[in-house]
Each structure stands twice: as structure tokens, then as C-alpha cells.
Amino acid sequence: RAVDRHGLSGRIRFEGHIDDRDRIRELLGRARLLALPSLIPESFALAGIDALAMGTPVVSFGLGGVGEWLRDGANGLVAADGDAADFARQMGRLIDDRGLAAEMGARGHRLALERFSEGNSVDALLAVYREAIHGDRT
């Protein structure tokens, strides 16, 4: 109702739960930003990495594991913890400035490829297993 009341129905769409990974990638690739408003310190928030992989910047409070990959001003924006007005301001910055959103999205895409690609993730996991078994990282 608030979206309609503010005349934003042409700009904001609520998709609900989506199981289809291709549809998720399509929507993330078209989005100006991913809003990740969780006040719970997420362990990692994979949805944010999915967005970055598609070149979509993230707005979040940056709690928990989100701080492992979200770089304020680089690949997204971090709002003051629990401050809904600041969260809305940060989203507004990316909504209003397509160039800024595109720059942050491109940096996020590079980060996702460099740090979180399947190959890098498997290599990192194998290194952890090697260290646990052998006591070293060889």
C-alpha cells in the first residue's frame, strides 16, 4: 500500500519467494540494488554475494558476516545499525544515481569473481581440510 500511496508501483515490485535460480539471477541483474535490511548478524548473507555476482550493489546494515564482503562506498552502502531512515537514504543514493550504482555493481562483480567463484571457494575449502588433516596449508 505504501508503494502505491507514494506512486512507486512502476519502480518497485515485490516478487515473493522464488525457487528458480535463473529467475533470481535475472531479477538481480536487472535490479538497481539489493536491499538487505536484516538486523540479525547474518553469518554470511549469500543473497548479497549473489547480487554482487550479477553486478548489483548491496545496501545493508553490515552486521555479522556481511562485513566480510560489503565495502561501504565500493560495492554497496552500509547504513547505520538499525537506522531505518539512514537505510532509506542509502537506497535513495543508488536509486537516484545510476552511474554510482553501476560503478559499485561493477566493483562488486569483480569481488565476487575474485573471492567467491566456485573454483576459489573449493580451493579455500580444500585448504581448510588439508590444514585440519596435516596441520599445514600445503
Side-chain angles (χ1 to χ4, degrees), residues 72-118:
D72 188 40
N75 59 10
L77 298 169
V78 177
D81 290 352
D83 186 338
D86 189 42
F87 194 90
R89 272 191 300 278
Q90 301 304 343
M91 287 192 309
R93 288 178 60 194
L94 295 178
I95 290 168
D96 293 339
D97 190 338
R98 288 181 186 269
L100 179 63
E103 288 172 22
M104 288 184 180
R107 285 192 292 267
H109 180 72
R110 284 192 298 276
L111 175 78
L113 288 177
E114 291 166 6
R115 287 194 49 206
F116 302 112
S117 69
E118 184 177 328

Side-chain angles (χ1 to χ4, degrees), residues 5-64:
R5 187 172 55 249
H6 293 286
L8 298 172
S9 60
R11 296 180 72 185
I12 297 173
R13 195 166 71 211
F14 296 95
E15 292 287 332
H17 181 76
I18 303 169
D19 285 327
D20 182 348
R21 295 292 298 164
D22 290 333
R23 178 76 174 140
I24 292 169
R25 281 191 289 276
E26 173 196 340
L27 290 169
L28 287 173
R30 290 183 11 220
R32 179 81 52 88
L33 64 98
L34 173 73
L36 193 62
S38 180
L39 294 171
I40 298 168
E42 303 282 346
S43 60
F44 192 68
L46 189 55
I49 298 299
D50 288 342
L52 295 182
M54 296 307 299
T56 301
V58 176
V59 175
S60 179
F61 291 116
L63 302 173

